[in-house]
Amino acid sequence: MTKKNILAFFKTSEEAKKAAEQIKGLGVTDIQVDRFSKYPNGSADFVNDPTTGDKSSQAALILGASSDRDTGVLASADVSASGMSDGGQDSVSGRDVLVAAIVDESQFDRAIQFVKDNGGLV
């Protein structure tokens, strides 16, 4: 039995979970739904007072990105934090929820259709 991998990206957890449930209905057991961030330590859930000097980077101050000094330098170069943009960059897609699955080759096309039907991008 040949297996295939699926990596599908969604805008909301609800879309991803619905697609995952439909794929599970095909008998797939190797499936996972996760959210990811472009910042390595995720985002901060609180805002600190910048006058205390307790911020590790500009990205932590502007975006609430939770980062140490090393990763903060790179995150601060992002146009969202620095403001250094001519406006020509592609917009952020907002697809930060990932469904990863291992499916039997015979079920692959149906699983891909479930992903597309729920707004996913393969």
Side-chain angles (χ1 to χ4, degrees), residues 2-6 23 26 28 30 101-108 111:
T2 305
K3 301 282 186 179
K4 286 192 156 189
N5 299 321
I6 296 175
I23 294 170
L26 298 173
V28 174
D30 294 326
I102 302 172
V103 301
D104 185 74
E105 188 173 32
S106 65
Q107 300 292 341
F108 182 75

Side-chain angles (χ1 to χ4, degrees), residues 49-66:
D49 182 359
T51 61
T52 64
D54 196 21
K55 284 294 181 189
S56 60
S57 70
Q58 178 182 5
L61 180 63
I62 304 297
L63 302 174
S66 176

Side-chain angles (χ1 to χ4, degrees), residues 6 9 14 17 29 34 36 38 40 50 55 57 67 69 76 86 88 94 106 109 117-119:
I6 296 175
F9 301 90
E14 291 78 23
K17 288 176 184 175
T29 57
D34 280 316
F36 62 93
K38 65 181 175 178
K55 284 294 181 189
S57 70
S67 59
R69 287 201 181 276
S76 294
D86 65 358
S106 65
D109 290 333
D117 290 346
N118 288 288

